[in-house]
C-alpha cells in the first residue's frame, strides 16, 4: 500500500518535520556540556531547555531518511524508520484520539517547521554534515526518543532544541505563531509529545513517560 494514498483517504498526510538530533548514541556522546539541561529555563510548551551543542549528524540522518533537504517528508522518514504498517496504525490512533482537525494542524505545523527550520539554519550559517551511513531504521527512531527524553519524560521542545539550537527552535516557534497562530504551535508540540511516546512504547522503551502536555 502506498502510504501517501492511505493517508489521503483519511484526509491526512504526514508531514515534513523539523530535523531532530540524537543524543547518547554513536553520533553524539553523552557529556556534561552536550547533555546539559537548564534547571531554571523552560521551553514554551513545557520541559527544560537544552543548552548543549546540537547533534547535526543525527539531524542529517533524519532528513536523509525523509528524502533529503529538498524533498523531505515526515511520512517517508517514518516509514523508513518504523515500516508502513506501524505508521498507518499510529496515524489512525492519533486521529481517533485528537480528531482530524487537530491532527491536520499538527501535520501542517510540522511541515512548516522543517522548512522554516532549515531556512533559519542556513541564515545562521549552519550546514548539515553528511548523514552517517549506519544511522537509520529503528536505531534512528529510538535515538529520536532518547534525544527528547529528559528526567524520564519525552518533551518535543527538548528534542527541537537538540535539532539545531534552542535559539533557532525559538525563532521557528515565533514564525509559526506569526503565520498560523499560537494554537498551531501548541498543538504541534502536544501531538508530537504523544506520537514520540507511542514510538517509545512500540520500540520497547517502556520507561519513557508521557509529557503532561499531550
Amino acid at each position: 500500500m502506498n502510504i501517501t494514498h492511505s493517508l489521503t483517504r483519511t484526509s491526512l498526510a504526514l508531514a515534513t518535520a523539523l530535523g531532530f538530533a540524537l543524543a547518547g548514541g554513536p553520533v553524539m556522546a553523552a557529556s556534561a556540556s552536550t547533555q546539559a539541561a537548564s534547571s531554571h529555563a523552560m521551553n514554551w510548551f513545557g520541559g527544560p531547555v537544552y543548552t548543549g551543542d546540537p547533534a547535526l549528524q543525527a539531524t542529517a540522518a533524519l532528513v536523509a531518511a525523509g528524502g533529503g533537504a529538498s524533498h523531505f517528508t515526515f511520512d517517508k522518514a517514518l516509514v523508513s524508520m518504523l515500516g508502513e504498517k506501524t505508521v498507518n496504525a499510529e496515524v489512525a490512533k492519533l486521529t481517533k484520539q485528537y480528531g482530524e482537525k487537530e491532527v491536520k494542524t499538527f501535520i501542517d505545523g510540522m511541515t512548516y517547521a522543517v522548512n522554516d527550520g532549515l531556512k533559519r539554519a542556513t541564515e545562521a550559517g549552519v550546514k548539515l554534515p553528511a548523514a552517517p551511513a549506519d544511522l537509520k531504521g529503528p536505531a534512528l527512531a529510538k535515538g529520536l526518543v532518547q534525544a527528547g527524553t529528559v528526567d524520564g519524560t519525552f518533551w518535543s521542545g527538548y528534542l527541537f532544541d537538540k535539532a539545531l539550537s534552542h535559539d533557532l527552535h525559538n525563532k521557528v516557534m515565533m514564525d509559526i505563531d506569526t503565520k498560523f497562530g499560537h494554537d498551531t504551535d501548541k498543538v504541534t508540540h502536544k501531538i508530537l509529545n504523544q506520537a514520540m511516546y507511542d514510538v517509545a512504547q512500540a520500540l520497547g522503551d517502556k520507561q519513557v513517560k508521557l509529557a503532561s502536555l499531550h
Side-chain angles (χ1 to χ4, degrees):
M1 178 188 299
N2 185 292
I3 182 68
T4 303
H5 292 168
S6 174
L7 299 186
T8 299
R9 287 198 297 271
T10 60
S11 301
L12 299 173
L14 279 172
T16 307
L18 183 65
F20 298 134
L22 173 63
V27 175
M28 181 177 181
S31 69
S33 61
T34 59
Q35 297 299 304
S38 170
S39 60
H40 302 291
M42 300 293 288
N43 270 305
W44 286 10
F45 300 108
V49 166
Y50 172 76
T51 58
D53 296 330
L56 298 180
Q57 286 184 318
T59 302
L62 182 67
V63 172
S70 298
H71 304 286
F72 180 89
T73 60
F74 200 29
D75 62 320
K76 289 180 183 178
L78 288 175
V79 170
S80 175
M81 291 186 290
L82 302 170
E84 195 170 277
K85 182 178 179 180
T86 299
V87 172
N88 283 339
E90 178 62 13
V91 171
K93 185 263 187 186
L94 293 175
T95 302
K96 183 177 181 180
Q97 183 174 354
Y98 296 102
E100 289 190 11
K101 183 178 179 180
E102 282 212 348
V103 173
K104 187 177 187 303
T105 296
F106 160 65
I107 289 166
D108 290 344
M110 293 298 285
T111 300
Y112 181 82
V114 68
N115 292 318
D116 194 57
L118 293 174
K119 182 187 77 173
R120 287 292 190 178
T122 298
E123 291 172 352
V126 177
K127 183 177 180 180
L128 292 182
D134 60 348
L135 189 59
K136 59 182 66 174
L140 177 57
K142 189 170 184 178
L144 300 181
V145 173
Q146 293 172 344
T149 300
V150 57
D151 296 329
T153 300
F154 177 89
W155 287 101
S156 55
Y158 197 75
L159 180 60
F160 290 149
D161 285 350
K162 285 188 176 179
L164 297 169
S165 73
H166 176 65
D167 287 344
L168 289 178
H169 172 204
N170 278 346
K171 287 181 180 180
V172 170
M173 288 195 298
M174 288 187 285
D175 289 342
I176 292 174
D177 279 23
T178 298
K179 189 173 182 68
F180 300 107
H182 189 71
D183 285 347
T184 291
D185 204 359
K186 182 177 181 179
V187 168
T188 300
H189 283 73
K190 176 181 75 173
I191 298 184
L192 185 61
N193 282 340
Q194 179 69 64
M196 296 305 289
Y197 168 82
D198 293 343
V199 168
Q201 304 310 299
L203 293 175
D205 288 344
K206 304 294 185 182
Q207 75 279 7
V208 175
K209 294 180 287 187
L210 180 60
S212 55
L213 178 68
H214 68 272

